[in-house]
Amino acid sequence: MKFVGLLLLLLLAVGGSVKATSVESSDKKDHAAAVAGTYEGEAFIEIMQQKMKLKLELKRTHRDSVIVVVTDFVLPNGQKFSYRSTGVSVKPVVKDGKNVYQLNISFGYNYNGMPMKVTATGTIVNGQLDSLVKATIMDAMETKVTYKAKKV
């Protein structure tokens, strides 16, 4: 009888841990997992009046943050731009019953020896990324880049 009781206790313990694991893996508050992936689309650079293909990755680092990675984006002058951010917060907002994820990032960059301040805001809805990037060159001239992409 003690053996049956011990076996039932062991089954309950194992069953409880399996259930807890499956609940954690389907955590609806893991906002970073919802947006993580590769996005491919086009960036429109206002100052150059030019569209360019751009692929970026959002890599989950925590349940509410991702790293933005751009690899070998070729600029019009032939210069390759690669970028890896630090952790970017992923914040959901509910609109029309859907989760809308918002990302904000800023960084500095040198383009042809000119310092630039870059700020970007992005919104992700159902695997569609819409972003607006503002770049201020040498604290004097501002340009905008719009980026629309789909998760692949």
Side-chain angles (χ1 to χ4, degrees):
M1 196 60 153
K2 286 182 183 180
F3 177 73
V4 173
L6 184 61
L7 185 60
L8 283 173
L9 185 60
L10 183 61
L11 285 173
L12 284 173
V14 171
S17 68
V18 169
K19 187 175 180 183
T21 303
S22 64
V23 168
E24 287 172 7
S25 66
S26 64
D27 186 1
K28 293 184 182 202
K29 292 186 179 183
D30 192 343
H31 306 299
V35 300
T38 302
Y39 292 80
E40 289 185 1
E42 283 189 337
F44 178 73
I45 303 171
E46 181 183 81
I47 199 168
M48 297 175 191
Q49 292 294 302
Q50 188 172 5
K51 284 185 180 179
M52 303 177 72
K53 297 220 179 275
L54 174 62
K55 179 172 133 179
L56 68 82
E57 266 187 276
L58 298 179
K59 294 185 176 185
R60 181 190 180 279
T61 58
H62 206 283
R63 53 188 275 173
D64 62 353
S65 64
V66 293
I67 292 174
V68 179
V69 179
V70 176
T71 307
D72 294 336
F73 175 56
V74 180
L75 299 168
N77 67 354
Q79 180 182 7
K80 286 187 179 181
F81 172 80
S82 294
Y83 176 73
R84 183 180 185 92
S85 74
T86 57
V88 177
S89 178
V90 179
K91 296 183 179 182
V93 176
V94 178
K95 289 185 181 175
D96 299 326
K98 296 179 186 174
N99 275 341
V100 176
Y101 298 96
Q102 297 177 334
L103 303 154
N104 296 301
I105 191 169
S106 62
F107 61 93
Y109 180 70
N110 280 329
Y111 177 71
N112 284 344
M114 297 180 290
M116 294 176 58
K117 292 179 187 171
V118 180
T119 59
T121 57
T123 304
I124 301 171
V125 181
N126 294 332
Q128 176 74 32
L129 170 63
D130 291 315
S131 180
L132 175 63
V133 180
K134 292 181 182 179
T136 305
I137 304 165
M138 298 178 62
D139 291 328
M141 183 173 61
E142 184 177 281
T143 187
K144 294 178 187 173
V145 177
T146 54
Y147 177 59
K148 295 186 182 289
K150 288 187 179 181
K151 192 174 184 178
V152 290

Short mmCIF file of all heavy atoms in Angstrom, two decimals, residues 30-72:
data_model
loop_
_atom_site.label_atom_id
_atom_site.label_comp_id
_atom_site.label_asym_id
_atom_site.label_seq_id
_atom_site.Cartn_x
_atom_site.Cartn_y
_atom_site.Cartn_z
N ASP A 30 4.91 36.55 -23.19
CA ASP A 30 6.23 36.52 -23.81
C ASP A 30 6.14 37.31 -25.11
O ASP A 30 6.05 36.78 -26.20
CB ASP A 30 6.66 35.08 -24.08
CG ASP A 30 8.13 34.97 -24.45
OD1 ASP A 30 8.74 36.00 -24.82
OD2 ASP A 30 8.67 33.86 -24.39
N HIS A 31 6.14 38.64 -24.96
CA HIS A 31 5.95 39.53 -26.09
C HIS A 31 7.10 39.46 -27.08
O HIS A 31 6.90 39.60 -28.28
CB HIS A 31 5.74 40.97 -25.60
CG HIS A 31 4.65 41.06 -24.59
ND1 HIS A 31 3.34 40.72 -24.87
CD2 HIS A 31 4.67 41.43 -23.28
CE1 HIS A 31 2.60 40.89 -23.78
NE2 HIS A 31 3.39 41.31 -22.81
N ALA A 32 8.31 39.24 -26.58
CA ALA A 32 9.48 39.16 -27.46
C ALA A 32 9.36 37.96 -28.40
O ALA A 32 9.71 38.04 -29.58
CB ALA A 32 10.75 39.08 -26.65
N ALA A 33 8.86 36.84 -27.90
CA ALA A 33 8.70 35.64 -28.75
C ALA A 33 7.67 35.90 -29.85
O ALA A 33 7.80 35.39 -30.96
CB ALA A 33 8.27 34.44 -27.90
N ALA A 34 6.68 36.73 -29.56
CA ALA A 34 5.65 37.04 -30.55
C ALA A 34 6.19 37.83 -31.73
O ALA A 34 5.69 37.71 -32.85
CB ALA A 34 4.50 37.79 -29.90
N VAL A 35 7.22 38.64 -31.52
CA VAL A 35 7.75 39.49 -32.60
C VAL A 35 9.07 39.00 -33.16
O VAL A 35 9.50 39.45 -34.22
CB VAL A 35 7.90 40.96 -32.15
CG1 VAL A 35 6.56 41.53 -31.73
CG2 VAL A 35 8.94 41.11 -31.06
N ALA A 36 9.76 38.09 -32.45
CA ALA A 36 11.08 37.62 -32.89
C ALA A 36 10.99 36.95 -34.25
O ALA A 36 10.01 36.28 -34.57
CB ALA A 36 11.66 36.66 -31.87
N GLY A 37 12.01 37.18 -35.07
CA GLY A 37 12.08 36.55 -36.38
C GLY A 37 12.77 37.46 -37.39
O GLY A 37 13.32 38.50 -37.04
N THR A 38 12.72 37.04 -38.63
CA THR A 38 13.35 37.79 -39.72
C THR A 38 12.27 38.55 -40.49
O THR A 38 11.23 37.98 -40.82
CB THR A 38 14.09 36.83 -40.67
OG1 THR A 38 15.07 36.12 -39.90
CG2 THR A 38 14.78 37.57 -41.78
N TYR A 39 12.54 39.80 -40.78
CA TYR A 39 11.62 40.65 -41.52
C TYR A 39 12.30 41.11 -42.81
O TYR A 39 13.44 41.56 -42.78
CB TYR A 39 11.21 41.88 -40.68
CG TYR A 39 10.38 41.53 -39.48
CD1 TYR A 39 10.96 41.05 -38.31
CD2 TYR A 39 8.99 41.66 -39.52
CE1 TYR A 39 10.18 40.71 -37.22
CE2 TYR A 39 8.22 41.32 -38.42
CZ TYR A 39 8.82 40.85 -37.27
OH TYR A 39 8.04 40.51 -36.18
N GLU A 40 11.60 41.00 -43.91
CA GLU A 40 12.12 41.46 -45.20
C GLU A 40 11.16 42.48 -45.79
O GLU A 40 9.95 42.28 -45.77
CB GLU A 40 12.29 40.29 -46.16
CG GLU A 40 13.41 39.36 -45.79
CD GLU A 40 13.65 38.26 -46.81
OE1 GLU A 40 12.95 38.21 -47.85
OE2 GLU A 40 14.54 37.43 -46.57
N GLY A 41 11.74 43.57 -46.30
CA GLY A 41 10.90 44.60 -46.88
C GLY A 41 11.72 45.66 -47.57
O GLY A 41 12.87 45.45 -47.93
N GLU A 42 11.09 46.84 -47.74
CA GLU A 42 11.74 47.95 -48.42
C GLU A 42 11.80 49.17 -47.52
O GLU A 42 10.85 49.49 -46.81
CB GLU A 42 10.97 48.33 -49.68
CG GLU A 42 11.20 47.40 -50.83
CD GLU A 42 10.61 47.94 -52.13
OE1 GLU A 42 9.69 48.78 -52.08
OE2 GLU A 42 11.09 47.51 -53.18
N ALA A 43 12.94 49.83 -47.60
CA ALA A 43 13.13 51.10 -46.89
C ALA A 43 13.11 52.20 -47.93
O ALA A 43 13.74 52.09 -48.98
CB ALA A 43 14.47 51.09 -46.16
N PHE A 44 12.36 53.26 -47.66
CA PHE A 44 12.33 54.41 -48.56
C PHE A 44 13.08 55.54 -47.87
O PHE A 44 12.70 56.00 -46.80
CB PHE A 44 10.89 54.85 -48.87
CG PHE A 44 10.83 56.08 -49.74
CD1 PHE A 44 11.14 56.00 -51.09
CD2 PHE A 44 10.48 57.31 -49.20
CE1 PHE A 44 11.09 57.14 -51.89
CE2 PHE A 44 10.43 58.44 -49.99
CZ PHE A 44 10.74 58.36 -51.34
N ILE A 45 14.18 55.97 -48.50
CA ILE A 45 15.02 57.02 -47.94
C ILE A 45 14.60 58.35 -48.56
O ILE A 45 14.80 58.58 -49.75
CB ILE A 45 16.51 56.74 -48.21
CG1 ILE A 45 16.87 55.36 -47.64
CG2 ILE A 45 17.39 57.82 -47.60
CD1 ILE A 45 18.23 54.85 -48.01
N GLU A 46 13.99 59.20 -47.74
CA GLU A 46 13.39 60.45 -48.20
C GLU A 46 14.39 61.37 -48.91
O GLU A 46 14.12 61.89 -49.99
CB GLU A 46 12.77 61.17 -47.00
CG GLU A 46 12.10 62.47 -47.32
CD GLU A 46 11.59 63.15 -46.06
OE1 GLU A 46 12.38 63.79 -45.35
OE2 GLU A 46 10.38 63.01 -45.79
N ILE A 47 15.55 61.58 -48.30
CA ILE A 47 16.51 62.54 -48.84
C ILE A 47 17.05 62.12 -50.22
O ILE A 47 17.39 62.95 -51.05
CB ILE A 47 17.67 62.79 -47.84
CG1 ILE A 47 18.38 64.09 -48.18
CG2 ILE A 47 18.62 61.63 -47.80
CD1 ILE A 47 19.33 64.56 -47.09
N MET A 48 17.09 60.81 -50.46
CA MET A 48 17.60 60.30 -51.74
C MET A 48 16.48 59.94 -52.71
O MET A 48 16.76 59.59 -53.85
CB MET A 48 18.48 59.08 -51.49
CG MET A 48 19.70 59.37 -50.68
SD MET A 48 20.55 57.82 -50.35
CE MET A 48 21.72 58.38 -49.14
N GLN A 49 15.25 59.96 -52.21
CA GLN A 49 14.09 59.54 -53.00
C GLN A 49 14.35 58.17 -53.63
O GLN A 49 14.19 57.96 -54.82
CB GLN A 49 13.75 60.58 -54.07
CG GLN A 49 13.24 61.89 -53.53
CD GLN A 49 11.88 61.72 -52.85
OE1 GLN A 49 10.93 61.26 -53.47
NE2 GLN A 49 11.80 62.06 -51.57
N GLN A 50 14.79 57.23 -52.77
CA GLN A 50 15.20 55.93 -53.25
C GLN A 50 14.67 54.82 -52.34
O GLN A 50 14.69 54.94 -51.12
CB GLN A 50 16.73 55.88 -53.29
CG GLN A 50 17.29 54.67 -53.95
CD GLN A 50 18.81 54.81 -54.12
OE1 GLN A 50 19.43 55.76 -53.67
NE2 GLN A 50 19.40 53.84 -54.78
N LYS A 51 14.22 53.71 -52.96
CA LYS A 51 13.79 52.53 -52.22
C LYS A 51 14.93 51.52 -52.24
O LYS A 51 15.60 51.35 -53.26
CB LYS A 51 12.56 51.89 -52.86
CG LYS A 51 11.28 52.62 -52.59
CD LYS A 51 10.11 51.86 -53.15
CE LYS A 51 8.83 52.60 -52.88
NZ LYS A 51 7.66 51.90 -53.42
N MET A 52 15.11 50.87 -51.11
CA MET A 52 16.15 49.86 -51.00
C MET A 52 15.63 48.67 -50.22
O MET A 52 14.86 48.85 -49.27
CB MET A 52 17.37 50.45 -50.29
CG MET A 52 17.92 51.68 -50.98
SD MET A 52 19.28 52.40 -50.09
CE MET A 52 20.52 51.17 -50.43
N LYS A 53 16.03 47.47 -50.60
CA LYS A 53 15.64 46.27 -49.87
C LYS A 53 16.41 46.21 -48.56
O LYS A 53 17.59 46.53 -48.51
CB LYS A 53 15.91 45.03 -50.70
CG LYS A 53 15.09 44.99 -51.98
CD LYS A 53 14.60 43.61 -52.24
CE LYS A 53 13.76 43.57 -53.49
NZ LYS A 53 12.40 43.90 -53.26
N LEU A 54 15.71 45.81 -47.51
CA LEU A 54 16.33 45.71 -46.19
C LEU A 54 15.77 44.50 -45.46
O LEU A 54 14.56 44.27 -45.45
CB LEU A 54 16.07 46.98 -45.37
CG LEU A 54 16.53 46.99 -43.92
CD1 LEU A 54 18.03 46.82 -43.81
CD2 LEU A 54 16.10 48.26 -43.23
N LYS A 55 16.67 43.73 -44.88
CA LYS A 55 16.29 42.57 -44.08
C LYS A 55 16.84 42.80 -42.68
O LYS A 55 18.00 43.18 -42.52
CB LYS A 55 16.91 41.32 -44.69
CG LYS A 55 16.62 40.04 -43.96
CD LYS A 55 17.13 38.88 -44.80
CE LYS A 55 17.91 37.92 -43.97
NZ LYS A 55 18.40 36.78 -44.74
N LEU A 56 15.99 42.59 -41.68
CA LEU A 56 16.46 42.71 -40.30
C LEU A 56 15.92 41.56 -39.48
O LEU A 56 14.94 40.92 -39.85
CB LEU A 56 16.12 44.06 -39.68
CG LEU A 56 14.69 44.46 -39.37
CD1 LEU A 56 14.22 43.88 -38.06
CD2 LEU A 56 14.62 45.96 -39.27
N GLU A 57 16.60 41.32 -38.38
CA GLU A 57 16.21 40.25 -37.47
C GLU A 57 15.91 40.83 -36.10
O GLU A 57 16.61 41.73 -35.64
CB GLU A 57 17.35 39.25 -37.30
CG GLU A 57 17.30 38.07 -38.22
CD GLU A 57 18.38 37.08 -37.84
OE1 GLU A 57 19.51 37.27 -38.31
OE2 GLU A 57 18.07 36.13 -37.08
N LEU A 58 14.89 40.31 -35.49
CA LEU A 58 14.59 40.61 -34.09
C LEU A 58 14.85 39.31 -33.34
O LEU A 58 14.20 38.30 -33.59
CB LEU A 58 13.15 41.06 -33.91
CG LEU A 58 12.75 42.34 -34.63
CD1 LEU A 58 11.27 42.65 -34.38
CD2 LEU A 58 13.61 43.50 -34.20
N LYS A 59 15.84 39.33 -32.45
CA LYS A 59 16.22 38.14 -31.69
C LYS A 59 15.79 38.30 -30.25
O LYS A 59 16.15 39.28 -29.59
CB LYS A 59 17.74 37.93 -31.76
CG LYS A 59 18.24 37.61 -33.14
CD LYS A 59 19.71 37.30 -33.12
CE LYS A 59 20.18 36.89 -34.51
NZ LYS A 59 21.59 36.49 -34.49
N ARG A 60 15.01 37.33 -29.78
CA ARG A 60 14.50 37.37 -28.41
C ARG A 60 15.65 37.19 -27.41
O ARG A 60 16.45 36.28 -27.54
CB ARG A 60 13.49 36.24 -28.21
CG ARG A 60 12.88 36.21 -26.83
CD ARG A 60 12.07 34.92 -26.65
NE ARG A 60 11.48 34.85 -25.33
CZ ARG A 60 12.13 34.46 -24.25
NH1 ARG A 60 13.39 34.11 -24.31
NH2 ARG A 60 11.51 34.41 -23.08
N THR A 61 15.72 38.08 -26.44
CA THR A 61 16.70 37.95 -25.37
C THR A 61 16.04 37.71 -24.03
O THR A 61 16.64 37.16 -23.13
CB THR A 61 17.58 39.21 -25.26
OG1 THR A 61 16.74 40.33 -25.02
CG2 THR A 61 18.40 39.42 -26.51
N HIS A 62 14.81 38.15 -23.91
CA HIS A 62 14.05 38.04 -22.67
C HIS A 62 12.59 38.10 -23.08
O HIS A 62 12.28 38.42 -24.22
CB HIS A 62 14.42 39.22 -21.75
CG HIS A 62 14.22 38.93 -20.31
ND1 HIS A 62 12.99 38.92 -19.72
CD2 HIS A 62 15.11 38.64 -19.33
CE1 HIS A 62 13.12 38.63 -18.43
NE2 HIS A 62 14.41 38.46 -18.18
N ARG A 63 11.69 37.82 -22.18
CA ARG A 63 10.27 37.79 -22.56
C ARG A 63 9.71 39.15 -22.95
O ARG A 63 8.64 39.23 -23.54
CB ARG A 63 9.42 37.14 -21.48
CG ARG A 63 9.59 37.73 -20.12
CD ARG A 63 8.89 36.95 -19.06
NE ARG A 63 7.52 37.38 -19.02
CZ ARG A 63 6.59 36.82 -18.29
NH1 ARG A 63 6.85 35.76 -17.59
NH2 ARG A 63 5.38 37.29 -18.28
N ASP A 64 10.44 40.23 -22.64
CA ASP A 64 9.95 41.56 -23.03
C ASP A 64 11.02 42.38 -23.74
O ASP A 64 10.94 43.60 -23.78
CB ASP A 64 9.41 42.31 -21.81
CG ASP A 64 10.47 42.56 -20.76
OD1 ASP A 64 11.59 42.04 -20.90
OD2 ASP A 64 10.17 43.28 -19.79
N SER A 65 12.04 41.71 -24.31
CA SER A 65 13.05 42.47 -25.06
C SER A 65 13.67 41.64 -26.18
O SER A 65 13.71 40.42 -26.11
CB SER A 65 14.14 43.00 -24.13
OG SER A 65 14.85 41.95 -23.54
N VAL A 66 14.09 42.36 -27.20
CA VAL A 66 14.73 41.75 -28.37
C VAL A 66 15.99 42.55 -28.71
O VAL A 66 16.17 43.66 -28.24
CB VAL A 66 13.79 41.74 -29.61
CG1 VAL A 66 12.61 40.83 -29.41
CG2 VAL A 66 13.35 43.14 -29.98
N ILE A 67 16.83 41.96 -29.55
CA ILE A 67 17.97 42.64 -30.12
C ILE A 67 17.67 42.83 -31.60
O ILE A 67 17.19 41.91 -32.27
CB ILE A 67 19.25 41.81 -29.95
CG1 ILE A 67 19.66 41.74 -28.49
CG2 ILE A 67 20.40 42.39 -30.78
CD1 ILE A 67 20.83 40.83 -28.22
N VAL A 68 17.90 44.03 -32.11
CA VAL A 68 17.69 44.33 -33.52
C VAL A 68 19.02 44.11 -34.23
O VAL A 68 20.05 44.66 -33.83
CB VAL A 68 17.23 45.79 -33.72
CG1 VAL A 68 17.05 46.09 -35.20
CG2 VAL A 68 15.95 46.05 -32.95
N VAL A 69 19.00 43.30 -35.30
CA VAL A 69 20.23 43.00 -36.05
C VAL A 69 20.00 43.30 -37.53
O VAL A 69 19.06 42.78 -38.14
CB VAL A 69 20.63 41.51 -35.89
CG1 VAL A 69 21.89 41.20 -36.69
CG2 VAL A 69 20.84 41.16 -34.42
N VAL A 70 20.85 44.16 -38.08
CA VAL A 70 20.87 44.44 -39.52
C VAL A 70 22.26 44.01 -40.00
O VAL A 70 23.26 44.44 -39.44
CB VAL A 70 20.65 45.94 -39.82
CG1 VAL A 70 20.77 46.22 -41.30
CG2 VAL A 70 19.30 46.40 -39.28
N THR A 71 22.30 43.17 -41.02
CA THR A 71 23.58 42.67 -41.53
C THR A 71 23.76 43.08 -42.98
O THR A 71 22.91 42.78 -43.83
CB THR A 71 23.64 41.14 -41.41
OG1 THR A 71 23.32 40.77 -40.07
CG2 THR A 71 25.00 40.60 -41.77
N ASP A 72 24.84 43.75 -43.26
CA ASP A 72 25.27 44.08 -44.63
C ASP A 72 24.20 44.75 -45.48
O ASP A 72 23.95 44.34 -46.61
CB ASP A 72 25.80 42.83 -45.34
CG ASP A 72 27.08 42.32 -44.69
OD1 ASP A 72 27.76 43.13 -44.04
OD2 ASP A 72 27.38 41.13 -44.84
#
